[in-house]
Amino acid sequence: MGSERMEMRKRQMSVQQESAVAGGAAVPAGQAQTGHNPRASNACCFCWCCCCSCSWNEDRDDRNRKGSYDVKEGTPDCEECPKPTLDEVRSWGQSFDKLMCCPAGRNAFRQFLRTEFSEENMLFWLACEEFCQETNKGSIEEKARVIYEDYISILSPKEVSLDSRVREAINRNMVEPTSQTFDDAQLQIYTLMQRDSYPRYMNSQAYKNLLNTLSEQSPES
C-alpha cells in the first residue's frame, strides 16, 4: 500500500508540473494576441504610417486643386464683363494693349488662344495679375508655389515658354518669393502673345465675324 500511494503522488506531481509548463508556454501566445509580439507591433506601426502617408498625400492633392490658378477648372470659362461695343472691338485692332485692357477683349482673345492650344499664356498672365496684388506674406508664398507648379515647372502640362535667364531668376526667387517674383516672366509672356498670337487673331475669322456681327447690329449701319 505504501508503494502504491507513493506512485500515485508521483503521478499527481508529474501532472501538475506538466500543467504549469503548458500554462507558462501559453503566456507568450496571449501576449502576442494583446500586441506584445514585436513583429505584430511593427506591423501595426507600418500600417499606421502608410495610412497616415496616404491621407496626407490626399490632403495635399486637395489643397493643390483648391489653390490652382487653372481658370479652366472650377471657375467661369471667361471673365465676367458686358458685351463689347463696336468701338471697343475696333480699338482692339489698334494695339494689343487696348485689347488686353478690355475684359471682353481678353475673353475673345483667350478663346482664340484655345484654338491654337496656347491658352496657358493667358491663364498665366491672369494669374500673375492677381498675384501681384497680394500683400499677405503667407498667401504670397502659397500662391507663388501654385503658379510655379502650374506654369513654370517643366513637369506641368501647362508650362509656358520662358528663356533660361528668366526661369533661373524665378528659381532663385522661389526661396523667398515676393509679389514681384513673376514680373519678368509675365512681361515675357505678354510680349510673346503680342508678337505671335495677336497678329493672327486680328486676321482670324473669329475677329472678323465679331466685327461684322456688331456692325450689323449698330444703329449706324
Side-chain angles (χ1 to χ4, degrees):
M1 289 292 293
S3 61
E4 291 179 358
R5 289 180 178 177
M6 290 291 295
E7 187 66 28
M8 289 181 64
R9 287 181 180 178
K10 289 181 180 179
R11 289 179 181 178
Q12 289 176 352
M13 291 177 65
S14 177
V15 170
Q16 290 175 354
Q17 289 177 353
E18 290 177 359
S19 299
V21 171
V27 171
Q31 290 177 345
Q33 293 175 358
T34 57
H36 291 287
N37 185 289
R39 290 186 179 180
S41 177
N42 289 340
C44 293
C45 290
F46 177 76
C47 294
W48 181 85
C49 292
C50 289
C51 292
C52 288
S53 175
C54 293
S55 299
W56 185 85
N57 285 329
E58 290 174 358
D59 292 341
R60 182 184 63 180
D61 293 340
D62 289 340
R63 289 194 300 269
N64 289 341
R65 283 193 294 268
K66 291 177 181 177
S68 176
Y69 274 89
D70 184 0
V71 184
K72 293 182 291 184
E73 299 178 2
T75 57
D77 196 41
C78 294
E79 299 176 68
E80 294 183 3
C81 63
K83 182 179 178 181
T85 64
L86 179 60
D87 289 340
E88 285 178 328
V89 175
R90 284 174 176 169
S91 72
W92 301 349
Q94 297 174 8
S95 72
F96 185 59
D97 291 342
K98 290 186 177 181
L99 181 146
M100 291 293 284
C101 287
C102 177
R106 292 193 296 268
N107 285 342
F109 186 53
R110 177 181 162 188
Q111 291 174 358
F112 173 75
L113 291 177
R114 187 177 301 168
T115 66
E116 293 199 332
F117 304 99
S118 58
E119 186 184 10
E120 66 275 4
N121 291 332
M122 177 64 77
L123 296 176
F124 172 68
W125 187 88
L126 290 171
C128 291
E129 281 292 284
E130 180 181 342
F131 175 75
C132 68
Q133 300 175 22
E134 186 60 63
T135 57
N136 181 273
K137 184 177 180 181
S139 297
I140 287 175
E141 292 178 353
E142 177 65 17
K143 292 180 179 180
R145 181 188 61 80
V146 172
I147 291 177
Y148 185 93
E149 292 178 356
D150 279 352
Y151 303 109
I152 309 300
S153 172
I154 60 175
L155 301 178
S156 173
K158 301 190 295 293
E159 178 193 4
V160 294
S161 179
L162 299 171
D163 62 36
S164 59
R165 176 188 63 83
V166 172
R167 189 176 294 276
E168 290 171 3
I170 292 176
N171 289 335
R172 290 193 301 268
N173 293 334
M174 284 300 293
V175 176
E176 191 172 350
T178 68
S179 57
Q180 290 81 42
T181 294
F182 301 106
D183 283 0
D184 289 344
Q186 184 184 19
L187 177 60
Q188 192 167 104
I189 294 302
Y190 186 92
T191 303
L192 175 65
M193 292 190 292
Q194 181 180 22
R195 294 178 178 176
D196 186 46
S197 302
Y198 172 65
R200 288 199 297 274
Y201 175 60
M202 289 295 100
N203 293 319
S204 70
Q205 196 62 45
Y207 178 68
K208 294 176 182 178
N209 289 342
L210 181 58
L211 265 180
N212 292 335
T213 299
L214 293 175
S215 297
E216 294 173 357
Q217 297 174 355
S218 175
E220 300 176 358
S221 59

